[in-house]
Amino acid sequence: MYAQVIVDIAHSQVDRIFEYSCSDEVQVGCRVKVPFGGRIIEGFVIGLSPTPSFDADKIKPVREVYDELPAIVPECLSLMERICERYRVPKAVALRLFLPSEMRLGRVREVFTSFVKLTDPAAEVGKRAPKQAELCFALREGDMELSSAAERFGRAAVNALVSKDIAEIYKVRRIRTPMGGEEEEFTPVELTPAQTSALEYIEKSDKTVQLIHGVTGSGKTEIYLSYIAEVLRRGKTAIFLVPEISLTPQMLRQLRRRFKGEAAIMHSGLSAGERFDEWWRLRSGEAKIAIGARSAIFAPLENLGAIIIDEEHDASYVSEAAPRYSTADIARIRAEYNGCKLIMGSATPSVESYICATEGQYGLITLPDRINKKPLPEIIISDMRKEVKRGNNTSFSQALREELSATLAGGNQAIIFLNRRGYAKTVICQDCGYVARCENCDVSLTYHSDENCLKCHYCGAKYHMPPACPECGGRHLRYGATGTQRVVSDLKELFPSAKILRMDNDTVSGKDGHYKILKQFGQRQADILVGTQMIAKGHDFPSVTLVGILDADMSLHFSDYRSGERTFQLITQVAGRSGRAGAKGKVVLQTYSPENYILRYAVNYDYKGFFENEVKIRKATGFPPYSLICRVMVVGEDENSALEVLKNIYFSLLKLKEENEDEFIFFNKMHSPIKKIQGKLRYQVLMRLKDGRLLPQIYDAAAKYTTNSVLAYVEENPANLS
Ligand code: ADP
Ligand code: ZN
């Protein structure tokens, strides 16, 4: 046999098929070791043929076969081709998506636990060796894990028994099930009429993609899980994606409780061994549901019956490393391949998805009510301009302070949300709410402290930093950040006896950092949880009756055409944490621009109103999805070589532009807004295009000129233009 092999080197120069001879047991999708350029390296078999395609004498043999069961299933091989075509990456890079990283380079393959067992139960150990005698005695009760035997009796005692042939050490392949929950009993709920008809609608619909727009707490999760249960009953498998899996321990427990060992979790927070074990359980067919963040879309499952994307609007579904894929695009390819449904759900669908649903490309299911008709929490607006005028310079409005006292007095819990990311660099007048905006682009400007000026991240225009507010002449222009730390210390002063937890990138560390903080809060070990974006996600804390949003409008002025959408989503998601169980929830939303239309829609939970307005704006300004923003980034340490690459790409794209004038709305090259990150200089060619027709040429230009020291890559509608 002759194997067509892709070597595991991420370089376009070796991105082609190499041929090796092999034995008959090699299958398509197996990983192999092959001689290559004087070394032995890993490769993937992507095809087999009984005859060589050139001189058989010159073909070298495969050295070793790693897999009995091919690591890459046939569907994933075809998906690999699609990814390479779409995102123009070498095949090796696409193939790596399908394996846990620790499987490569032969690092982790299987995880074993060692046990000690008696081979000769009748053996007597003399009194002169009391430890050995005790160990021997203990082993008569049953085998022991080697680590605990060594801990209790000493490794020397174990070794002595082994060398005397009284005991032996054996290994067992260990499958650990992370997060627990399997032992808990599952009690099914009766579906509500709305849930039943949603499932019926999905079943009947001939459209691959189904969008569930359901308010927070409307029972979307139960719909996903019932659908998965039905899929399993039909002997099929499922993929269930959540935005950030470490933030959703409750969801994981729920899945384990319901599906036990059939659910496998793919999660970067697991140890290498756990990750491999879960992957293997899916590949071997033992587990049938892959649950995870975006990379779980590459799960080694065959015969898929459903793909679910929860919180489909979330920005984490776009990959930040090559290939910069959109998870929904990949999910759709897999759903079409398997003839199954892709179900996407959100309380605040992305504008792009909702357009597809209203135009009939997707099925649409609307759940306007919470389960048991529990009301959505009331949102109260605090006008921070008035607070400043009254001399209140703290982080909290009068209303929020009063609500906090009442909540604590009532024995309930509160969440305080701070949107630090959007805060950092926008200039806002604290007297009138004025925000500096670009004259050409209708986006807010970003403050650059190195040049003390304001810049537009879309067209590169520069503006002077105004000494006073151009609207009202006020001098309270603010562009600093109030961090979570400061909020916590303010809270401690106001409520000395309250217990406060803080959750942000600084306090969360280690494998279960998030989990621990959320668990403490869930067990009511604290009264107030203060945090950034990460507390906005789908947590279900029954005793939270108050949510404070400290700076609702800061993401509104973030320099991104999606800032209005993001703000609406964020407010709705955070507000949804309040009043989920018995007591009615409240939300206090602090803002410097209370009249802003986005906030108005959010306060009234008016998604449709928001959506229609947003579509009008996007159409009028020609922003996505009515255009495509495309950026080629050039990143390198050495200025001259980076500029050389930039120049090459710029001129080849310029030529493309001249040949396709009417495809381009905007075209320019410039420094990136952040000129240097981790010692690497950053340049960009920024384009706004009518559509994606020229993407292949743009990807090719970036790939062609990228070098070993200067990386060039393409981003489509980047979530972040820094
Ligand atoms: P969503 O995913 O839309 O936010 P969930 O599925 O989490 O909503 O449901 C919200 C709450 O309602 C959860 O506590 C859930 O256990 C409960 N719930 C969902 N469906 C039902 C049902 N059919 N009967 C009773 N309770 C339900
Ligand atoms: Zn501009």
Side-chain angles (χ1 to χ4, degrees):
M1 275 297 202
Y2 295 90
Q4 284 126 37
V5 172
I6 298 293
V7 293
D8 192 10
I9 298 175
H11 204 292
S12 53
Q13 274 167 18
V14 295
D15 185 30
R16 56 201 160 83
I17 290 169
F18 295 92
E19 208 167 20
Y20 294 90
S21 61
C22 65
S23 63
D24 287 351
E25 74 207 334
V26 173
Q27 297 175 56
V28 172
C30 281
R31 291 171 310 138
V32 289
K33 265 191 179 177
V34 291
F36 187 82
R39 288 187 297 151
I40 302 288
I41 59 169
E42 280 183 35
F44 301 88
V45 178
I46 64 160
L48 285 168
S49 112
T51 49
S53 61
F54 65 103
D55 193 353
D57 297 342
K58 297 210 176 107
I59 295 179
K60 293 178 188 149
V62 161
R63 286 291 175 88
E64 196 183 324
V65 185
Y66 274 128
D67 309 308
E68 276 168 48
L69 195 60
I72 316 272
V73 302
E75 179 195 345
C76 291
L77 281 177
S78 93
L79 185 56
M80 175 271 287
E81 302 278 356
R82 298 278 296 266
I83 290 169
C84 293
E85 200 180 294
R86 173 70 176 76
Y87 300 103
R88 305 273 160 164
V89 287
K91 288 193 171 64
V93 172
L95 285 165
R96 286 175 188 174
L97 295 168
F98 300 105
L99 299 176
S101 57
E102 49 281 340
M103 262 174 89
R104 294 177 50 233
L105 310 173
R107 264 176 290 164
V108 175
R109 298 181 73 177
E110 287 156 291
V111 187
F112 293 98
T113 308
S114 298
F115 289 87
V116 193
K117 96 179 218 205
L118 277 186
T119 42
D120 179 6
E124 290 292 332
V125 179
K127 287 204 182 74
R128 311 257 311 268
K131 288 280 177 205
Q132 290 174 40
E134 283 171 43
L135 173 58
C136 205
F137 187 73
L139 286 173
R140 288 207 180 96
E141 299 293 305
D143 300 356
M144 285 178 79
E145 249 186 67
L146 176 61
S147 58
S148 70
E151 196 178 303
R152 281 172 61 192
F153 307 103
R155 185 66 208 235
V158 178
N159 291 348
L161 290 191
V162 171
S163 66
K164 289 178 194 163
D165 277 337
I166 295 172
E168 69 176 17
I169 294 172
Y170 66 95
K171 289 177 175 176
V172 172
R173 190 103 194 257
R174 179 178 39 164
I175 300 281
R176 276 187 294 179
T177 50
M179 314 302 289
E182 269 188 86
E183 64 294 343
E184 292 164 11
E185 204 166 322
F186 165 64
T187 9
V189 295
E190 200 176 317
L191 295 181
T192 62
Q195 287 168 329
T196 308
S197 57
L199 287 165
E200 281 168 8
Y201 176 92
I202 295 170
E203 187 65 31
K204 274 196 218 122
S205 172
D206 56 358
K207 287 167 187 146
T208 299
V209 188
Q210 301 289 322
L211 180 66
I212 305 183
H213 171 216
V215 299
T216 54
S218 59
K220 295 185 291 297
T221 308
E222 186 56 41
I223 296 176
Y224 307 145
L225 301 187
S226 298
Y227 195 78
I228 293 176
E230 179 55 31
V231 159
L232 296 192
R233 255 195 301 280
R234 293 177 189 169
K236 299 192 173 183
T237 63
I239 295 176
F240 187 171
L241 303 178
V242 291
E244 265 175 88
I245 195 155
S246 52
L247 303 183
T248 44
Q250 289 159 328
M251 177 80 93
L252 298 184
R253 280 194 94 80
Q254 202 179 341
L255 279 144
R256 285 278 200 218
R257 196 182 303 140
R258 183 148 178 175
F259 298 109
K260 316 286 180 204
E262 295 204 296
I265 292 165
M266 305 179 84
H267 173 7
S268 61
L270 304 180
S271 69
E274 286 173 329
R275 249 195 323 251
F276 173 78
D277 282 353
E278 291 294 80
W279 183 89
W280 175 251
R281 292 200 313 117
L282 291 163
R283 178 64 191 95
S284 65
E286 180 188 322
K288 299 193 164 54
I289 314 164
I291 303 146
R294 64 168 181 260
S295 61
I297 194 58
F298 301 108
L301 285 166
E302 293 178 286
N303 198 13
L304 279 173
I307 301 175
I308 315 270
I309 304 184
D310 190 24
E311 311 283 4
E312 67 86 28
H313 63 276
D314 198 275
S316 72
Y317 284 122
V318 177
S319 168
E320 283 151 11
R324 292 177 162 70
Y325 62 87
S326 136
T327 306
D329 289 349
I330 306 282
R332 193 161 167 175
I333 296 172
R334 290 201 77 170
E336 278 163 2
Y337 183 100
N338 288 281
C340 74
K341 296 269 162 37
L342 163 59
I343 304 173
M344 309 204 291
S346 174
T348 51
S350 68
V351 169
E352 278 88 343
S353 296
Y354 205 77
I355 288 176
C356 290
T358 51
E359 287 177 352
Q361 285 146 266
Y362 299 173
L364 177 63
I365 294 138
T366 307
L367 304 170
D369 301 313
R370 279 186 161 181
I371 291 280
N372 302 335
K373 306 262 175 198
K374 264 176 221 139
L376 287 163
E378 178 194 359
I379 304 183
I380 305 159
I381 287 193
S382 283
D383 183 346
M384 294 309 279
R385 296 172 305 186
K386 288 189 187 147
E387 302 282 330
V388 173
K389 280 201 187 106
R390 265 196 249 137
N392 175 4
N393 278 315
T394 71
S395 321
F396 310 100
S397 68
Q398 176 87 26
L400 181 53
R401 280 204 302 255
E402 283 165 10
E403 292 295 341
L404 267 170
S405 313
T407 303
L408 297 177
N412 290 314
Q413 288 178 297
I415 289 177
I416 302 291
F417 173 79
L418 183 70
N419 182 21
R420 194 171 41 175
R421 183 167 157 240
Y423 220 135
K425 288 175 190 135
T426 304
V427 173
I428 186 161
C429 170
Q430 288 184 280
D431 296 322
C432 74
Y434 161 83
V435 171
R437 304 184 78 83
C438 177
E439 287 163 15
N440 312 319
C441 300
D442 199 35
V443 292
S444 57
L445 299 172
T446 300
Y447 177 66
H448 286 246
S449 54
D450 51 349
E451 297 171 56
N452 190 33
C453 74
L454 299 169
K455 280 193 200 170
C456 171
H457 285 185
Y458 283 87
C459 70
K462 268 194 209 179
Y463 300 81
H464 286 294
M465 177 64 199
C469 173
E471 290 285 321
C472 74
R475 296 204 162 255
H476 296 106
L477 285 178
R478 164 158 145 184
Y479 44 92
T482 306
T484 41
Q485 235 166 340
R486 156 96 192 278
V487 170
V488 169
S489 69
D490 285 359
L491 276 174
K492 280 190 177 141
E493 220 158 274
L494 287 171
F495 305 101
S497 61
K499 285 197 224 72
I500 301 163
L501 275 173
R502 175 159 74 96
M503 179 154 159
D504 55 30
N505 276 328
D506 306 328
T507 59
V508 172
S509 62
K511 195 173 126 183
D512 330 301
H514 301 279
Y515 182 62
K516 275 189 208 137
I517 294 176
L518 294 171
K519 194 167 154 192
Q520 283 173 6
F521 191 62
Q523 291 171 342
R524 309 203 51 174
Q525 290 174 29
D527 307 301
I528 306 174
L529 175 64
V530 177
T532 50
Q533 254 82 344
M534 35 180 100
I535 61 174
K537 309 273 155 98
H539 311 300
D540 201 353
F541 298 117
S543 13
V544 170
T545 56
L546 176 66
V547 167
I549 306 176
L550 293 196
D551 44 8
D553 38 359
M554 285 303 171
S555 63
L556 203 54
H557 305 307
F558 198 62
S559 49
D560 176 353
Y561 71 92
R562 267 176 298 215
S563 51
E565 180 178 359
R566 295 257 183 264
T567 304
F568 184 86
Q569 287 164 348
L570 211 56
I571 293 172
T572 312
Q573 298 290 340
V574 185
R577 302 309 115 222
S578 183
R580 290 177 73 86
K584 185 166 192 279
K586 265 192 190 167
V587 178
V588 177
L589 189 155
Q590 302 189 164
T591 171
Y592 292 99
S593 32
E595 67 294 329
N596 182 286
Y597 68 95
I598 295 280
L599 303 189
R600 289 283 146 205
Y601 290 127
V603 164
N604 295 318
Y605 296 101
D606 182 6
Y607 178 84
K608 278 238 172 83
F610 150 77
F611 170 79
E612 275 155 21
N613 192 65
E614 189 68 23
V615 166
K616 250 187 255 159
I617 295 174
R618 302 263 183 109
K619 262 190 191 149
T621 53
F623 270 109
Y626 302 101
S627 69
L628 176 76
I629 293 174
C630 180
R631 169 162 89 155
V632 180
M633 283 295 294
V634 175
V635 180
E637 242 157 73
D638 176 58
E639 183 168 5
N640 287 332
S641 37
L643 284 173
E644 181 68 21
V645 172
L646 178 72
K647 206 175 73 193
N648 286 334
I649 292 175
Y650 176 76
F651 283 115
S652 91
L653 293 178
L654 188 64
K655 187 159 165 282
L656 185 69
K657 177 175 177 276
E658 282 160 5
E659 291 159 5
N660 300 275
E661 266 313 331
D662 52 342
E663 271 291 308
F664 282 76
I665 306 167
F666 176 83
F667 179 76
N668 207 350
K669 68 170 192 313
M670 58 191 106
H671 267 292
S672 289
I674 300 177
K675 286 182 204 153
K676 198 171 173 181
I677 293 181
Q678 293 174 332
K680 293 208 167 116
L681 296 161
R682 295 154 55 84
Y683 301 92
Q684 65 187 32
V685 180
L686 191 61
M687 291 158 275
R688 187 132 50 103
L689 305 163
K690 283 233 172 89
D691 50 45
R693 273 204 303 132
L694 297 177
L695 277 175
Q697 286 100 309
I698 296 171
Y699 273 98
D700 284 346
K704 181 170 170 196
Y705 293 109
T706 198
T707 67
N708 285 336
S709 63
V710 181
L711 178 68
Y713 60 87
V714 179
E715 293 174 323
E716 299 169 34
N717 291 336
N720 179 350
L721 275 182
S722 54

